[in-house]
Amino acid sequence: MAWRNHSAITEFLLTGLSDDPLIEALLFVLFLGIYLLTMTGNLMLLLVIRADSHLHTPMYFFLSNLSFLDLCFSSVTVPKLLKDLLSEKKSISIEGCLAQVFFVFITAGTEAFLLSMMAYDRYAAVCHPLLYGQMMSNEFCLKLVLLSWLLASLSSVVIVLLAVNLDFCEAYTIHHYICELPSLFPLACSDISINVDILICSILLHGLGTFLPIFFSYARIVSTILNMKSTTGRSKAFNTCSSHLIAVVLFFGSGLVRYLMPTSGSSLDLLSSLQYSAVTPMLNPLIYSLKNKEVKAAVQRTVGKCLRYWA
């Protein structure tokens, strides 16, 4: 492995969320519930979109990919957290730490690109409804999703190379519940200024490259909605975008706080990581289903088919 030879560390210790057994037991129940809700909600959304032909549209194609990403994202961090909440020694091997760093970045990075593409989809639907079918063809949507995975993979490789080239001496306690690159930097005994600069540049390029299309898409959407004469049309256009806006704020808000603010090992670091890696994947299917009449109707049709099948 490419980790420096003079670094004798073979594993890291994680401080976790608490060292109080009672609080750990309560947190275990809480995050087990969150994880089960995440799995159930996203799997249900995937099943409904797959089973109902009314939802075979670009918007729901992107949404099904978002649900798959949320399943992956949550599974990268929450099972390890649950295990550690039941363990006295919270440790992770160097290889496991690197793997977690990589998969956190590739799932989060792909989700950021996907949210950006979903904003463009809403822009096409609201601002160019007559050209929507041409602008968002099935082939074009598939290429967008594949491109998001490719770009996120390249970014993740860069991030992992930054972690591989760190030197560690005596310190091996990560003041966090998972392995994230910002939490590894304080443990390094070598000069990390270049690593920090590259990380910040990578996050800014990734963040701006995904957030700016969202911003400009919604600027055009708001302009179009304000020019609509029909109150019903305004309300319908706003409802089609509100769920996506909520998801964007939840994801980008906590993610940028985590990776652009200095790492301090404070409660804010933990809360921001928990927000985008555990809470947001649970909330996304609720946000997109509770505020969406089409999804509600599709759920009813799918449940009705299942009941008739088993009757």
Side-chain angles (χ1 to χ4, degrees), residues 10-284:
T10 59
E11 66 177 13
F12 293 109
L13 295 180
L14 302 166
T15 57
L17 299 179
S18 175
D19 54 5
D20 186 316
L22 178 59
I23 294 178
E24 285 187 321
L26 293 174
L27 288 173
F28 176 82
V29 174
L30 172 64
F31 285 104
L32 179 61
I34 288 175
Y35 187 60
L36 292 177
L37 284 173
T38 301
M39 294 294 106
T40 303
N42 285 290
L43 284 172
M44 177 66 73
L45 201 54
L46 279 170
L47 174 64
V48 169
I49 293 173
R50 176 72 176 176
D52 197 297
S53 59
H54 295 85
L55 301 184
H56 292 175
T57 63
M59 174 182 171
Y60 294 104
F61 172 72
F62 289 128
L63 184 55
S64 64
N65 279 275
L66 181 66
S67 290
F68 175 73
L69 275 169
D70 282 336
L71 287 172
C72 296
F73 198 3
S74 184
S75 296
V76 170
T77 57
V78 179
K80 172 61 177 169
L81 171 61
L82 292 173
K83 174 180 175 295
D84 287 342
L85 287 171
L86 298 178
S87 306
E88 288 188 19
K89 182 182 180 183
K90 303 172 179 63
S91 62
I92 185 169
S93 67
I94 286 180
E95 292 80 5
C97 185
L98 278 179
Q100 196 168 58
V101 167
F102 176 79
F103 285 110
V104 163
F105 264 92
I106 193 172
T107 51
T110 306
E111 184 158 337
F113 281 115
L114 192 62
L115 288 171
S116 178
M117 293 164 187
M118 291 173 75
Y120 178 75
D121 172 72
R122 293 300 81 209
Y123 157 76
V126 174
C127 301
H128 302 284
L130 298 180
L131 298 175
Y132 180 71
Q134 292 177 286
M135 294 175 66
M136 303 302 296
S137 65
N138 292 337
E139 183 181 357
F140 181 63
C141 292
L142 179 60
K143 287 180 178 178
L144 287 178
V145 171
L146 293 177
L147 180 64
S148 67
W149 277 100
L150 175 62
L151 293 175
S153 299
L154 294 174
S155 179
S156 301
V157 169
V158 172
I159 296 302
V160 169
L161 290 177
L162 292 180
V164 166
N165 288 317
L166 291 175
D167 291 334
F168 297 99
C169 299
E170 299 299 328
Y172 60 97
T173 300
I174 298 175
H175 295 281
H176 212 278
Y177 70 95
I178 58 172
C179 270
E180 289 184 319
L181 197 54
S183 297
L184 292 178
F185 283 157
L187 307 184
C189 57
S190 56
D191 182 20
I192 61 169
S193 57
I194 295 178
N195 300 65
V196 172
D197 290 342
I198 294 175
L199 174 64
I200 292 175
C201 289
S202 176
I203 296 299
L204 285 175
L205 287 173
H206 199 124
L208 291 175
T210 52
F211 185 75
L212 286 179
I214 294 174
F215 176 80
F216 287 117
S217 293
Y218 275 101
R220 291 294 304 275
I221 288 171
V222 170
S223 175
T224 301
I225 291 176
L226 292 177
N227 289 327
M228 289 180 178
K229 296 180 180 180
S230 169
T231 304
T232 304
R234 287 184 181 182
S235 177
K236 184 178 180 181
F238 178 76
N239 286 334
T240 62
C241 302
S242 58
S243 298
H244 179 256
L245 267 177
I246 295 171
V248 167
V249 171
L250 288 174
F251 181 81
F252 277 91
S254 55
L256 292 177
V257 166
R258 176 67 184 113
Y259 283 95
L260 292 182
M261 295 290 287
T263 300
S264 60
S266 65
S267 299
L268 181 61
D269 289 345
L270 296 174
L271 288 174
S272 57
S273 292
L274 287 170
Q275 170 65 48
Y276 77 79
S277 66
V279 179
T280 299
M282 176 193 70
L283 293 178
N284 277 343

